[in-house]
């Protein structure tokens, strides 16, 4: 990045600036300093928002909290609890399941530590289970509990990093066991007879950062918790569940779905919050061009690296969140190079990267260095979004939208823990949703965060989980209510018919051999080991679902700043052999997708357009990869690949257009494929605005004539077996979704389409053909039909000419929604094109290309990877990678 070149600032060995100046300026001043050398005509900041400081609200200690625990808390500086901590602790103490949903760094840990540690002190046999979504968070919480608990508690970790010789000791002696849903699913519940002495004494179960459990993974975790409750009941225990979450919409409902029992929410945050300066930043268009001559913006990764170097140089402790593993490596490496070029080689060792796929000892070393302050700047995937408690961070840089507002605020909240004003900079990637958010600040600051999406009745989740439950203990008919009632009964009947369960008078028994092999995180594909060929050294792992696109033969693989080229990818043995190399190119996989409609669940006729939702079958195969020049994205060569296809049955939303709609959009035979393709890409990029997903959770197909619909069709589908609720959410909020999509495409400053509007980083057709102007006209037709349908609904609510306005719900109420996040701010909705008119036209020129099927897909059963620097990994997967055993 060339626009941020501040003068070098001298620091001492700990990163502090000598003299009277503080180590880091307050957020607003720090931003001003970063922009001091920027040309005002090329100012990348589109909006600055100030979050004011909040004063604390404290309460008295509950009478049941013992003096010893209060004394240990006082030694750690906790002299009085916040109001939300006491409210949640009192509910848990009374035996009610509770979720405390307050902001980052609000002290949620104390809300469960108070009742749980008190119970353990009162009953020397009682124990507690603590579940965390990442090992980093688990280890951090383990240290916190160890400092508060008396010697009889013996808190210990039981996860994939626990040596085998220590696991029996943990099971026999620890009364505060720190683990994760994966280990509970695979290591504890199937061996519950060995764990019986522990499970019959479980008093509290803590589910930390429970908002991380969403989609298919969250649905699996919900059933794992139901299985835990079921087995505890068999041993005579009835534990209280205490859940902690970032601020989410309707936390009580989300937590109740997860646990399978009523949960009370505590949402009034009594903790103090330092002021935050939050800047929205969009890199400008450059003279560089990408596919088909489309203009490219300056890379978000490059700007993040420049900002990280600038902030480190000023002594500001900074986390830079990026979207992929490869980007984490790239940002750290570029920041170090910038520091060396500026004559600050002494600071280069204090910048590093953190991501999933590192070996356990590497992660622990980085966590210690970050916590102690030995590292000043760290580029990280979301592996640290829910990670260790890092005190005193001055700034957070977000290189790209993390997929949900909940994640955005979770990442932003990592700064300011030392009660001083912090700086957060969101850098928009060359992506439709990022572009939209950079220019619609109310979509960031003016709407509630999303409600988590889970579907425990998904047959691809429910069936395997019922098999797991039956393998642990015979399933009784009355227990099926907890697992989904009628849906569970129907699923059991199918499993009995398929021979997987056996029906007996005493219940339903597992009929298979061994234990059911159920992967709660994906499609069951084993992680792929990355082996250095010359030494046999294990470098790291990549999950199996992403491996076809990331470690195929010839792929570029990056590990801690070192680059390797894949010599061989063995699909059967789940192993990729690599050699070190530093080429001037990166690699991008290409694939082909075929989609068939299996069944239609719902249909909404909108005149010349019809919306559908239902089940589809997708076949996807990675068939080639490109070498692209680093920095410019220029395609150097393409090489074929011979990898097996993968199958996916999932849920989708699709639009069909009759001939009148095509005519109204002023499309001819040549422009139809490119127009539909561009609209498909843009709609996939925008759907995460309204659903708890990421574009990498989604796939799509568009075609001028689909054989199953007999019409021009755009399909958007969930990239998870059985679906995850995202496509159905799109069907429910169709008007808001396409309003924002139209606004994004029409407002983009490019002429014929670029990555900020209609180009996709994961298009199997190489973004060809694309017609930006035609896409706007297609979206106008759909929006006109949706507006007409809304008018007809109003007419139906008018009786004999009498205006029933008092009885008519608001526009937000009339439009089907699925959670508060589905409502755009009023001014954004208007700008997005409410009641769109066909008279509006984009100024962009129509791109032309061969009539072919468009394809914007995700890896089967797992998110494919991608970022500014090419495919690497799905942007949310590092939450899982940090704890898979």
């Amino acid at each position: 990045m060339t626009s941020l070149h501040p003068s070098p600032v001298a620091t001492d060995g700990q990163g502090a600036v000598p003299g009277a100046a503080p180590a880091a300026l307050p957020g607003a001043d720090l931003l001003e300093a970063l922009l001091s050398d920027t040309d005002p005509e090329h100012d990348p900041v589109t909006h600055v928002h100030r979050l004011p400081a909040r004063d604390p609200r404290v309460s008295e200690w509950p009478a049941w909290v013992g003096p010893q625990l209060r004394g240990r808390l006082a030694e750690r500086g906790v002299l009085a609890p916040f109001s939300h901590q006491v409210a949640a602790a009192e509910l848990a103490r009374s035996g009610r399941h509770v979720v405390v949903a307050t902001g980052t760094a609000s002290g949620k840990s104390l809300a469960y530590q108070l009742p749980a540690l008190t119970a353990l002190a009162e009953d020397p046999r009682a124990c507690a289970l603590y579940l965390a979504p990442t090992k980093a968070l688990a280890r951090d919480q383990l240290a916190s509990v160890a400092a508060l608990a008396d010697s009889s508690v013996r808190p210990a970790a039981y996860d994939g990093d626990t040596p085998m010789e220590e696991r029996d000791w943990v099971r026999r002696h620890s009364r505060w066991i720190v683990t994760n849903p994966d280990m509970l699913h695979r290591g504890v519940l199937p061996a519950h007879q060995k764990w019986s002495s522990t499970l019959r004494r479980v008093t509290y179960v803590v589910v930390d950062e429970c908002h991380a459990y969403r989609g298919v993974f969250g649905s699996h975790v919900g059933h794992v918790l139901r299985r835990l409750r079921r087995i505890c009941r068999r041993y005579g225990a009835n534990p209280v569940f205490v859940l902690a979450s970032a601020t989410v919409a309707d936390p009580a409902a989300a937590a109740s779905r997860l646990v399978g029992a009523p949960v009370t929410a505590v949402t009034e945050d009594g903790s103090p919050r330092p002021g935050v300066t939050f800047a929205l930043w969009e890199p400008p268009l450059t003279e560089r061009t990408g596919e088909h001559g489309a203009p490219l913006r300056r890379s978000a990764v490059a700007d993040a690296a420049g900002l990280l170097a600038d902030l480190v140089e000023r002594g500001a402790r900074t986390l830079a969140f990026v979207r992929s593993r490869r980007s984490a490596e790239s940002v750290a490496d570029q920041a170090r190079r910038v520091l060396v070029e500026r004559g600050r080689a002494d600071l280069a060792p204090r910048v590093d990267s953190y991501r999933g796929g590192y070996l356990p000892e590497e992660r622990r070393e980085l966590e210690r260095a970050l916590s102690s302050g030995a590292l000043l700047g760290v580029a990280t995937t979301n592996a640290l979004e829910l990670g260790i408690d890092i005190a005193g961070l001055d700034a957070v840089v977000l290189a790209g939208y993390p997929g949900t507002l909940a994640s955005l605020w979770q990442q932003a909240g990592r700064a300011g823990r030392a009660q001083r004003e912090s700086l957060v900079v969101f850098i928009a990637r060359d992506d439709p949703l990022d572009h939209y958010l950079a220019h619609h600040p109310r979509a960031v600051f003016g709407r509630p965060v999303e409600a988590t999406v889970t579907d425990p009745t998904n047959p691809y989740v429910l069936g395997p989980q019922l098999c797991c439950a039956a393998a642990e203990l015979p399933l009784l008919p009355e227990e099926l209510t907890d697992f989904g009632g009628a849906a569970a009964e129907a699923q059991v009947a199918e499993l009995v018919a398929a021979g997987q369960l056996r029906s007996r008078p005493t219940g339903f028994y597992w009929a298979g051999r061994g234990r059911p092999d159920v992967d709660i995180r994906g499609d069951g594909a084993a992680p792929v080991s990355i082996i250095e060929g010359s030494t046999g050294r294990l470098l790291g792992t990549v999950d199996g679902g992403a491996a076809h696109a990331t470690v195929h033969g010839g792929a570029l693989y990056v590990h801690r700043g070192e680059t390797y080229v894949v010599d061989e990818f063995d699909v059967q043995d789940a192993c990729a052999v690599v050699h070190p190399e530093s080429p001037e190119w990166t690699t991008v996989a290409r694939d082909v997708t075929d989609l068939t409609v299996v069944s239609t669940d719902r249909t909404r006729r909108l005149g010349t357009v019809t919306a559908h939702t239902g089940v589809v079958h997708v076949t996807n195969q990675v068939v080639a990869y490109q070498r692209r020049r680093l920095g410019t994205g220029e395609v150097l060569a393409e090489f074929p690949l011979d990898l097996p296809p993968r199958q996916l049955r999932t849920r989708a939303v699709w639009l069909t257009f009759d001939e009148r709609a095509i005519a109204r959009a002023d499309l001819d035979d040549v422009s139809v494929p490119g127009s539909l393709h561009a609209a498909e890409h843009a709609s996939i990029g925008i759907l995460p605005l309204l659903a708890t997903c990421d574009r990498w959770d989604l796939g799509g197909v568009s075609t001028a004539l689909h054989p199953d619909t007999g019409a021009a069709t755009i399909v958007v589908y969930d990239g998870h077996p059985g679906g995850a609720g995202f496509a159905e959410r799109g069907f429910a909020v169709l008007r808001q979704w396409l309003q924002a999509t139209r606004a994004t495409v029409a407002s983009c400053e490019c002429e014929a389409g670029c990555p900020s509007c209609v180009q996709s980083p994961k298009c199997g057709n190489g973004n060809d053909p694309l017609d930006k102007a035609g896409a706007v006209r297609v979206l106008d037709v759909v929006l006109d039909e949706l507006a007409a349908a809304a008018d007809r609904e109003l007419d139906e609510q008018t009786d004999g000419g009498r205006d029933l306005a008092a009885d008519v719900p608001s526009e937000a109420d009339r439009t089907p929604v699925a959670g508060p996040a589905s409502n755009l701010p009023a001014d954004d909705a208007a700008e997005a094109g409410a009641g769109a008119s066909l008279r509006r036209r984009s100024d962009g020129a129509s791109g032309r290309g061969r009539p072919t099927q468009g394809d914007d897909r995700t890896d089967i059963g797992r998110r494919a990877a991608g970022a500014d620097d090419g495919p690497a990994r799905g942007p949310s997967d590092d939450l899982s990678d940090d704890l898979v055993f």
Side-chain angles (χ1 to χ4, degrees):
M1 188 175 71
T2 59
S3 63
L4 298 179
H5 286 163
S7 303
V9 178
T11 64
D12 63 16
Q14 300 301 315
V17 181
L25 297 169
D29 294 339
L30 187 57
L31 177 63
E32 184 178 351
L34 293 175
L35 294 170
S36 59
D37 291 341
T38 301
D39 182 349
E41 293 186 4
H42 300 287
D43 186 353
V45 174
T46 61
H47 179 80
V48 177
H49 189 84
R50 176 80 162 79
L51 296 172
R54 180 180 62 218
D55 293 330
R57 296 192 303 274
V58 298
S59 298
E60 296 293 329
W61 290 108
W64 45 264
V65 178
Q68 286 187 327
L69 179 55
R70 290 174 57 176
R72 293 189 185 103
L73 287 166
E75 291 172 2
R76 303 187 71 191
V78 182
L79 302 180
F82 300 131
S83 57
H84 66 276
Q85 295 170 330
V86 172
E90 292 280 19
L91 286 166
R93 175 74 172 181
S94 70
R96 296 170 64 182
H97 304 312
V98 60
V99 56
V100 53
T102 54
T104 308
S106 60
K108 292 185 285 288
S109 300
L110 194 61
Y112 54 76
Q113 289 171 348
L114 287 177
L117 289 176
T118 297
L120 269 57
E122 293 172 343
D123 181 356
R125 291 183 54 78
C127 67
L129 286 179
Y130 170 92
L131 307 178
T134 67
K135 290 177 183 174
L137 175 60
R139 301 289 170 148
D140 191 57
Q141 287 297 306
L142 182 62
S144 175
V145 169
L148 296 175
D150 63 52
S151 59
S152 70
V153 174
R154 296 184 289 273
Y158 188 83
D159 59 26
D161 291 348
T162 306
M164 294 300 296
E165 59 272 16
E166 293 183 14
R167 296 187 182 189
D168 282 345
W169 185 94
V170 174
R171 177 169 48 83
R172 292 172 181 167
H173 300 291
S174 176
R175 295 202 296 135
W176 186 291
I177 298 174
V178 174
T179 186
N180 53 60
D182 304 75
M183 205 66 170
L184 190 62
H185 164 64
R186 291 188 180 273
V188 177
L189 297 181
H192 61 87
Q193 294 91 344
K194 292 172 60 177
W195 284 85
S196 60
S197 62
T198 297
L199 293 172
R200 66 169 45 98
R201 297 182 289 111
V202 175
T203 306
Y204 285 95
V205 176
V206 177
V207 185
D208 208 353
E209 304 291 5
C210 64
H211 62 280
Y213 306 126
R214 64 178 189 264
V216 171
F217 174 48
S219 301
H220 273 295
V221 172
H223 283 295
V224 171
L225 296 182
R226 286 163 173 78
R227 287 160 49 202
L228 172 64
R229 290 175 53 233
R230 171 177 178 256
I231 288 179
C232 285
R233 284 196 301 269
R234 290 290 182 97
Y235 287 112
N238 187 24
V240 174
F241 280 73
V242 184
L243 301 93
S245 172
T247 303
V248 295
D250 203 356
S256 298
R257 280 197 307 271
L258 194 64
V259 172
V263 178
T264 302
V266 173
T267 58
E268 292 295 327
D269 195 336
S271 66
R273 182 184 66 191
V276 179
T277 296
F278 201 128
L280 304 182
W281 176 298
E282 184 175 48
L285 290 172
T286 67
E287 296 180 355
R288 294 187 296 110
T289 57
E291 287 186 317
H292 314 298
L296 296 177
R297 296 189 182 277
R298 196 169 57 206
S299 165
V301 165
D303 276 23
L307 283 174
L308 182 60
D310 293 342
L311 290 162
V312 166
E313 198 169 12
R314 287 179 163 81
R317 293 184 62 193
T318 306
L319 278 182
F321 284 99
V322 296
R323 302 265 299 169
S324 72
R325 292 176 170 191
R326 187 176 295 183
S327 293
E329 306 277 5
S330 177
V331 167
D333 184 59
Q334 291 182 52
R336 286 190 292 262
R337 287 205 307 267
V338 169
L339 290 168
V340 170
E341 291 169 0
R342 295 178 184 172
R344 297 311 312 271
D346 58 311
L347 291 177
R350 302 188 67 183
V351 176
D352 211 330
S353 58
Y354 184 102
R355 61 170 177 81
Y358 287 167
L359 300 178
E361 54 270 25
E362 293 177 312
R363 292 199 305 268
R364 302 290 95 82
E365 176 189 350
L366 287 167
E367 289 161 14
R368 285 191 295 269
L370 180 57
S371 184
S372 68
L375 287 175
L376 264 181
V378 173
T380 178
T381 60
N382 57 3
L384 279 181
E385 177 181 319
L386 310 177
I388 58 177
D389 187 5
I390 309 161
L393 284 181
D394 302 298
V396 164
V397 176
L398 308 176
Y401 185 60
T404 66
L405 275 180
S407 289
L408 181 144
W409 290 113
Q410 187 75 16
Q411 293 178 4
R414 304 297 266 155
R417 292 176 183 264
Q419 298 307 306
R420 59 181 171 186
E421 182 174 317
S422 59
L423 172 66
V424 177
V425 181
F426 163 69
I427 305 175
R429 294 176 305 131
D430 225 352
D431 175 87
L433 181 52
D434 287 39
H435 171 75
Y436 181 87
L437 294 174
H439 294 277
H440 296 79
R442 284 194 48 150
V444 178
F445 305 109
R447 67 186 182 100
V449 297
E450 306 85 355
T452 55
V453 176
T454 56
D455 180 14
T457 63
N458 180 337
Y460 287 83
V461 174
L462 180 56
Q465 287 293 333
L466 288 171
C467 289
C468 290
E472 291 156 4
L473 288 170
L475 264 173
L476 303 178
E478 59 267 25
E479 292 177 325
L480 295 180
T481 301
D482 280 350
F483 288 92
E489 292 171 5
Q491 194 66 46
V492 164
E494 290 186 17
L495 293 170
V496 170
Q500 293 181 275
L501 294 184
R502 185 178 295 112
S503 178
R504 293 290 183 265
T506 53
F508 300 98
Y509 289 74
W510 167 240
R513 295 182 178 179
R515 295 172 179 169
D517 185 14
V518 178
D519 178 8
I520 66 174
R521 291 186 177 272
D523 60 354
V528 173
S529 300
I530 312 300
I531 306 295
E532 187 174 25
S534 59
T535 64
R537 179 168 62 105
L538 175 66
L539 297 176
T541 60
V542 172
D543 60 68
H548 285 218
T550 57
V551 291
H552 54 75
L556 188 71
Y557 177 77
V558 183
H559 182 79
R560 299 202 70 180
E562 300 296 325
T563 55
Y564 300 82
V565 173
V566 178
D567 296 316
E568 180 184 0
F569 174 36
D570 191 322
V571 177
Q572 292 298 117
D573 292 339
C575 174
V577 180
V578 303
H579 71 268
E581 186 177 341
S582 300
E584 294 301 315
W585 42 261
T586 186
T587 54
V588 176
R590 290 298 189 200
D591 65 4
V592 294
T593 298
D594 181 63
L595 181 145
T596 57
V597 176
V598 176
S599 63
T600 303
D601 295 338
R602 285 183 291 167
T603 296
R604 187 180 178 193
R605 300 193 183 280
L606 304 166
T608 62
V609 180
T610 306
H612 315 258
T613 183
V615 178
V616 298
H617 186 85
V618 184
T619 301
N620 173 264
Q621 184 176 19
V622 176
V623 296
Y625 73 96
Q626 293 178 344
R627 286 182 179 174
R628 296 186 180 185
R629 191 182 306 279
L630 286 174
T632 67
E634 176 189 355
V635 177
L636 302 176
E638 184 165 307
F639 303 89
L641 291 170
D642 183 19
L643 291 170
R646 286 172 292 174
Q647 311 293 323
L648 172 68
R649 182 163 292 204
T650 186
R651 305 193 69 83
V653 54
W654 62 95
L655 297 173
T656 55
F657 302 82
D658 68 20
E659 293 181 356
R660 293 171 298 164
I662 298 300
R664 288 177 61 191
D666 194 21
L667 302 179
D668 56 27
D669 291 344
V670 175
S671 60
V672 168
S675 301
L676 298 178
H677 194 193
E680 171 221 326
H681 280 186
S683 61
I684 286 175
I686 291 296
L687 182 54
L689 179 69
L690 303 170
T692 51
C693 68
D694 184 271
R695 76 176 301 156
W696 302 95
D697 287 308
L698 305 167
V701 167
S702 57
T703 177
L705 180 63
H706 194 282
D708 292 337
T709 66
T713 305
I714 296 174
V715 186
V716 176
Y717 61 85
D718 292 356
H720 300 270
F726 308 136
E728 290 174 293
R729 179 67 60 88
F731 182 86
V733 295
L734 187 62
R735 190 175 183 185
Q736 294 101 312
W737 174 22
L738 297 185
Q739 283 169 349
T741 301
R742 195 265 181 203
T744 300
V745 178
S747 67
C748 185
E749 58 200 287
C750 71
E751 291 187 3
C754 71
S756 290
C757 56
V758 299
Q759 285 195 349
S760 169
K762 56 196 184 83
C763 177
N765 274 12
N767 286 299
D768 182 40
L770 290 176
D771 187 333
K772 175 183 174 180
V776 174
R777 297 197 298 274
V778 165
L779 292 167
D780 279 339
V781 169
V782 182
L783 289 170
D784 270 0
E785 296 288 26
L786 283 164
D791 290 341
R792 286 193 296 272
E793 291 176 15
L794 281 175
D795 291 340
E796 291 171 1
Q797 297 178 56
T798 302
D799 182 11
R802 182 171 62 89
D803 187 2
L804 301 181
D807 300 323
V808 176
S810 67
E811 176 62 29
D813 292 332
R814 283 189 288 106
T815 306
V817 297
S822 60
N823 292 318
L824 288 174
D827 58 346
D828 288 345
E831 187 174 348
S837 168
L838 285 175
R839 290 190 296 271
R840 291 178 300 190
R841 291 289 183 263
S842 166
D843 293 331
S846 291
R848 302 296 183 191
R850 65 182 186 279
T852 184
Q853 175 175 296
D855 163 36
D856 193 337
R857 84 288 171 262
T858 180
D859 268 352
I860 299 299
R862 275 298 223 179
R863 280 166 296 203
D868 295 338
D869 54 352
R873 186 179 172 81
S876 295
D877 279 356
D878 268 8
L879 288 179
S880 64
D881 196 81
D882 188 39
L883 60 81
V884 171
F885 60 157

